[in-house]
Amino acid sequence: MKLKKLAQLVALMGVVGPVMAQEAAAPALQRVEVTGSSIKRVAKEGALPVQVITFDQIEKQGITSTEQLVRTLSANGTGADNMTSGNNVFGADADRVSGGASFASLRGLGPSSTLVLLNGRRIATHGASGKSVDLNSIPLGAISRVEILKDGASAIYGTDAIGGVINFILKTNYSGVEASVSTNDTQAGGGATRRASLLAGTGSLESDRYNIMASLTVDKAERLNGSDRSFVNGFQPGRGLSPDTTGTPFANQMAGTGTALGTSFQLPGDATKYLQANPLSFQGKCDTVAGMSQYQTELWKDVTSPLRTRYSCAYDYGADYVLQFPVERANLLSRGTFQLAPDHRMFVEVLGSRTKATAILTPMQVQATVANKNLYPVGGAYYQDLSAYIPTFDKTKPISYKWRANDVGNRTQENTTDNARVLVGFEGNFGKWDYKAGISRAESSTKTKLTDGYSYTDKLYAALATGIINPWVGAGQSQTEAAKQLIESTKFRGDFQHGKTTLTQIDGSVSGELFQLPAGALAMAAGFDLRREGYSFGQDVDAIQILLAPGNAALKDASRTVKAVYAELLVPVTKDLEMQLAIRRDDYSLVGATTNPKVAFRYQPADFLLFRGSASKGFLAPSFQQLYSGSLSQELPNGVVDQEGCAKHPGVPEYCAIDHLDYKTGGNTNLKPETSKQGSVGFVIEPFKGYSASFDYWAINTKDRILNRTPQIVLANYQALNQYIHRNPDGTIEYVQAGWINAAGSRVRGLDVGLRGEGKIQDAKWTATLDGTYMDSFKFAEYQGQEYQELVGKFYTRDLYLRWKHNASFGVSRGDWSGLLIQSFSSGYKDQVPNGGKGTPPPGFKPDVSSYTTYNLSGTYTGFKDTTITVGIQNLFDRDPPFTAHNVDEVVGAGWDPRVADPRGRSLSFQLKYKFM
């Protein structure tokens, strides 16, 4: 063929950066396996959209973690799967056991719909959540390149890859010793990262018939606090943003039977019966305590009852969030390859990693009530008499209150995840027939320790009832030593929970040419994949005894067997038209069997033009946790409104301003598999040598999508989901049943765009690229029977489905020097509207969140012998995240959104790499 540059685009189907296709292409006539097919062929052939990123470009961009790398992909979702967003206890998909983990989510369809592979094979999912591969377990320093198959539901790798496949290809057959160190420091301080790596290998397969190599990489990310960045500010009421919480460090008093405020109170000249009060609010001095403010009732009057907020203070706990929590990672890869015969090789691969991530959450919110037996006693040293403001205040009775327990400390969880995989494989060929086979064992275990901020419920409540602890610490004040010691005596520190996933796999495949057709050879591949998957999760202590403890209920030793076979044909229909036909059958021991086909084509009517397309079906089985995790009781914050009950009993607090509401989550053994139908069609064109473009339109329809239904969703849709709202005999809500369900599904449409140009100006070479994704539509229904809602360009509590995202680059090289400029762009979207969208927002509220653009610049010098020096500036123009008025609950961030933006600001990176031999 005469495709030249175009041929590489056909094989790799996408480019990102100045060193993409030419470095990834194989030598002439060498047959290689391209992600998306098991048939080896000359590298310039192919039919599916595969994007390739080389390790060289990863380094030049200053990327220090696999999470950062995946976030640069325009095809990846803009969701809460990163470590910052995942550092939350509330949210649409907060599983409360994945602290310190990060996940990929191609097309925004969720981590479970993205298949993450290492050298084309599966690895164990995250030890605690079990839902998907933790990106921290990938040895980034040992990879050669990353291949992203944007066409989902792979009949070769697994039809559970509804969103697509990310295949990390490791270095092999390396000889020599190479060491590198890198740093990345922010201009504003905090959040620095460090890395050191060593790569060593000996032997040559060609001359010595063996190669042994090892790679060790150690990373460290330092803590970045919300207080370190000015844009982290949850109190901007003029713009429609203020905290929706009355859990404050200077506590708000609450009404209740047998308490000083009674069941309610009235003020002179006001017939309204209020439920909460704070002397600082009456005095207009809420802001005298750091982080506190007068509760902005008008902003939230239809979300949280004014009966609780009119005379209460609020607290900007969103500004307390840790934007980047401390992480330490170590990854070790060792691989030995042995040439058994000229065309036959054996290899042994050992992979191990440890990630220690310290998840730091805001201090707990404590409620002192009659039921909790922790009221502030009459006669206590800090008894707060409100008689001057509330005539009916009964100072002969104890005080009920709501307190943000800052003095107990930030809730801190130390999550240590160990990953290991041992793989023995064989590969080679018999003439024109290629084979590969492997047996592997992989494990991922996560252990969580609670190191601060958590207390035994009974001990803390008893301590609060003594009156020694002061819930009303004013500006410039602090707890007494006796109070500090009493608080310390209530704390739980130690091992809390643990989880483990296992994967035992035997796989094999053969591929080659069957016979010649008039247009070329008919090639085929066939293979099998046998897996034994296991999962267990348990508590080291009784979590019920610990106030607001994280985690899920225990799930002991669940396992299942998956048997899969697949076949693939590569059919040259005519000289210009080639078809790829594949079929896969999966049999899950606990779920059932499914057979799913895939068909793809490539049609090249001219040297400069190629058309391609595919159609397939997908099948995603529920995870162990989704099926079998036990019931866990939790409670919602703030004053929740029971819409049905409040309509029947207007103004009654038990319906219209519920102090706290219990809800239950857990597995659902009635879950059905999620299925999909999807396809793509596109073309690649090279009108001039060195200039090419690719356009691929894709569509994915899912059915019975597996989602974690939140109690908020149940309450907001009470007409359709009333059976999940359990009521007491008097009609008040006892609890809400949330958890995993089969939602109606989703309908997703989009366009991937790849542009490339290259040339020379005198002695300098230049390259320019753009990789972008246009999200045409993402329609979704929360439950069966709900009308599908369009989510593109709108605020949403799971993912943000942005209209357009791209990464563009311009690189120049001359002699020992090279430079690279990267632009990353994310389009804006409609913001969350205050007060649940009811009423009129304040004049300063802007309904649109701005787009977000950053630039990274790097320069590399190789003029010193065996030495490479790279210096870079990330976020060159120090762009702050765009302002958003969303409230912090369900989505981390106060005035900004970590799903879109990087909070680190401008940073300087430096890397030194030296080859010893």
Side-chain angles (χ1 to χ4, degrees), residues 352-368:
S353 70
R354 166 166 285 191
T355 301
K356 185 169 75 172
T358 305
I360 305 170
L361 291 83
T362 55
M364 68 175 68
Q365 182 175 271
V366 177
Q367 297 194 79

Side-chain angles (χ1 to χ4, degrees), residues 415-746:
N415 302 284
T416 302
T417 300
D418 292 315
N419 292 277
R421 187 181 78 164
V422 177
L423 167 66
V424 178
F426 299 86
E427 58 187 17
N429 61 81
F430 296 96
K432 292 186 177 181
W433 285 87
D434 302 291
Y435 73 89
K436 65 177 182 178
I439 179 170
S440 63
R441 170 73 176 186
E443 295 183 356
S444 177
S445 61
T446 299
K447 297 180 180 179
T448 299
K449 292 182 178 179
L450 303 185
T451 59
D452 199 13
Y454 290 95
S455 293
Y456 288 102
T457 304
D458 290 346
K459 288 185 177 181
L460 180 61
Y461 284 178
L464 293 175
T466 64
I468 297 173
I469 298 171
N470 182 11
W472 299 285
V473 175
Q477 299 177 340
S478 62
Q479 298 286 351
T480 64
E481 283 302 315
K484 292 177 182 179
Q485 292 177 15
L486 184 57
I487 290 173
E488 184 62 31
S489 71
T490 71
K491 289 186 178 182
F492 170 83
R493 288 188 172 94
D495 294 338
F496 177 67
Q497 63 190 16
H498 58 273
K500 182 178 180 179
T501 62
T502 60
L503 174 64
T504 303
Q505 183 175 17
I506 302 175
D507 65 88
S509 68
V510 295
S511 66
E513 297 179 359
L514 290 174
F515 50 81
Q516 290 290 323
L517 294 175
L522 175 68
M524 66 82 65
F528 69 93
D529 180 9
L530 304 178
R531 306 194 305 273
R532 181 71 174 178
E533 301 174 346
Y535 177 67
S536 62
F537 183 83
Q539 302 282 355
D540 298 303
V541 297
D542 184 1
I544 297 176
Q545 298 181 19
I546 302 170
L547 185 61
L548 297 179
N552 294 339
L555 173 59
K556 185 178 180 180
D557 297 330
S559 63
R560 67 186 176 197
T561 301
V562 184
K563 305 172 185 177
V565 292
Y566 61 88
E568 177 188 4
L569 286 176
L570 199 63
V571 185
V573 180
T574 68
K575 178 183 177 181
D576 301 326
L577 177 62
E578 180 181 271
M579 300 293 295
Q580 179 185 349
L581 309 174
I583 191 167
R584 182 183 180 97
R585 180 171 177 81
D586 293 272
D587 189 350
Y588 289 78
S589 60
L590 300 177
V591 179
T594 177
T595 302
N596 295 283
K598 183 162 190 169
V599 59
F601 76 91
R602 61 180 300 277
Y603 174 58
Q604 184 195 338
D607 287 349
F608 64 88
L609 181 63
L610 179 140
F611 295 95
R612 62 189 177 201
S614 70
S616 60
K617 290 185 176 182
F619 176 93
L620 175 62
S623 71
F624 292 114
Q625 189 185 103
Q626 292 166 348
L627 285 169
Y628 304 119
S629 61
S631 179
L632 182 69
S633 297
Q634 302 168 66
E635 66 178 40
L636 288 170
N638 306 321
V640 177
V641 178
D642 170 12
Q643 295 186 40
E644 182 181 16
C646 189
K648 297 177 181 177
H649 308 276
V652 178
E654 288 77 10
Y655 299 94
C656 305
I658 304 173
D659 183 44
H660 65 275
L661 182 63
D662 292 331
Y663 70 97
K664 296 181 180 181
T665 60
N668 181 357
T669 57
N670 295 318
L671 284 176
K672 296 181 291 185
E674 181 178 328
T675 58
S676 70
K677 294 180 179 179
Q678 51 212 101
S680 66
V681 62
F683 67 93
V684 184
I685 186 170
E686 187 186 34
F688 308 103
K689 181 179 179 180
Y691 296 84
S692 59
S694 64
F695 300 88
D696 291 280
Y697 186 80
W698 48 269
I700 305 171
N701 289 349
T702 66
K703 182 181 178 182
D704 295 322
R705 190 176 177 196
I706 302 170
L707 290 177
N708 193 9
R709 179 188 53 212
T710 67
Q712 292 92 333
I713 292 295
V714 175
L715 291 170
N717 299 278
Y718 66 91
Q719 299 96 331
L721 303 176
N722 208 33
Q723 67 270 33
Y724 301 107
I725 302 175
H726 297 262
R727 297 184 180 275
N728 296 306
D730 62 358
T732 58
I733 297 178
E734 180 185 5
Y735 69 92
V736 175
Q737 180 64 56
W740 295 102
I741 63 163
N742 285 114
S746 59

